[in-house]
């Protein structure tokens, strides 16, 4: 089974900061990776699909990149409404979510 | 507006069964693959099962294989999850989500809560 490791588990940042969340796969997942945002008490929401494709309606401050085993979600300028837990999800072999990164405001 | 509404959750004893439903609206249900994803209290997300638009392809997580059955009725715009031999570790909020081949899940319901306890 492919394991997905997200880091850091918790990230504190200030409004306006550039924020980078990492996701590392235990083997090559060929860019078969999505990113989901889950705000407290809400259902998850698709942000990025197939590594770097922005879902319709998602602000352009969100972007994704990566290849092989290493993937990144970047928020170019953090906004208060971005406080949430972010999950990466691979579907190259089986279907596995990472444990999430909780993003907080400093 | 795309909408997914789960129902059928509740408190059930270990070893018993429960069936969840997810009613879809706002899109052509029969054109889309559908998934169940769960989230244990205070924990992360776990993909559970997938069914293709015409029910030809069905996949399960190893943790539920042989105990859970995913199905759909396209005439009723409804997705189902039949859960049997329930265990305490199946306690979770169960979401249905639209997404072909268990990827790019672009619409989610609000979840149905399942508690397995004696």
């Amino acid at each position: 089974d492919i394991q997905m490791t997200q880091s850091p588990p918790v990230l504190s940042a200030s409004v306006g900061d550039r924020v980078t969340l990492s996701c590392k796969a235990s083997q090559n997942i060929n860019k078969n990776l999505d990113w989901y945002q889950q705000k407290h008490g809400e259902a998850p929401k698709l942000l990025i699909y197939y590594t770097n494709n922005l879902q319709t309606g998602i602000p352009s401050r969100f972007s994704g990149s990566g290849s092989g085993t290493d993937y990144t979600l970047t928020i170019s300028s953090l906004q208060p409404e971005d406080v949430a837990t972010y999950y990466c999800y691979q579907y190259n072999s089986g279907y596995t979510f990472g444990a999430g990164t909780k993003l907080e405001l400093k | 507006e795309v909408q997914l509404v789960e129902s059928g959750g509740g408190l059930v004893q270990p070893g018993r069964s429960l069936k969840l439903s997810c009613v879809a609206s706002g899109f052509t249900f029969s054109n889309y693959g559908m998934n169940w994803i769960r989230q244990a209290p205070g924990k992360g997300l776990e993909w559970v099962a997938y069914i293709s638009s015409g029910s030809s392809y069905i996949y399960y997580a190893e943790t539920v294989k042989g105990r859970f059955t995913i199905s759909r009725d396209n005439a009723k715009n409804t997705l189902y999850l039949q859960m049997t031999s329930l265990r305490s570790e199946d306690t979770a909020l169960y979401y249905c989500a639209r997404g072909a081949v268990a990827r790019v899940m672009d619409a989610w319901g609000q979840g149905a809560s399942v508690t397995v306890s004696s």
Side-chain angles (χ1 to χ4, degrees), chain A residues 40-55:
Chain A
H40 183 69
E42 297 184 5
K45 177 194 294 185
L46 176 67
L47 294 179
I48 302 283
Y49 61 94
Y50 195 60
T51 293
N52 56 11
N53 293 275
L54 190 67
Q55 172 66 0

Side-chain angles (χ1 to χ4, degrees), chain A residues 32 34 36 38 41-46 49 55 87 89 91 95 97 99, chain B residues 37 39 43-47 59 95 101-106 108-110:
Chain A
N32 289 309
D34 297 341
Y36 294 86
Q38 186 178 33
E42 297 184 5
K45 177 194 294 185
L46 176 67
Y49 61 94
Q55 172 66 0
Y87 295 94
Y89 171 72
Y91 40 83
Y95 308 98
F97 285 94
Chain B
I37 298 95
Q39 187 168 34
K43 303 296 184 182
L45 301 167
E46 179 188 16
W47 172 82
Y59 309 124
Y95 295 102
V101 202
R103 65 188 65 185
V104 195
M105 292 178 282
D106 64 349
W108 295 62
Q110 285 304 303

Side-chain angles (χ1 to χ4, degrees), chain A residues 13-70:
Chain A
S14 300
V15 173
D17 282 354
R18 182 180 181 87
V19 171
T20 300
L21 285 63
S22 295
C23 179
K24 186 175 183 65
S26 58
Q27 63 191 71
N28 183 5
I29 56 170
N30 297 301
K31 295 189 175 184
N32 289 309
L33 179 123
D34 297 341
W35 287 95
Y36 294 86
Q37 176 194 63
Q38 186 178 33
K39 296 182 179 180
H40 183 69
E42 297 184 5
K45 177 194 294 185
L46 176 67
L47 294 179
I48 302 283
Y49 61 94
Y50 195 60
T51 293
N52 56 11
N53 293 275
L54 190 67
Q55 172 66 0
T56 302
I58 301 302
S60 59
R61 64 180 179 273
F62 291 92
S63 64
S65 63
S67 63
T69 61
D70 295 308

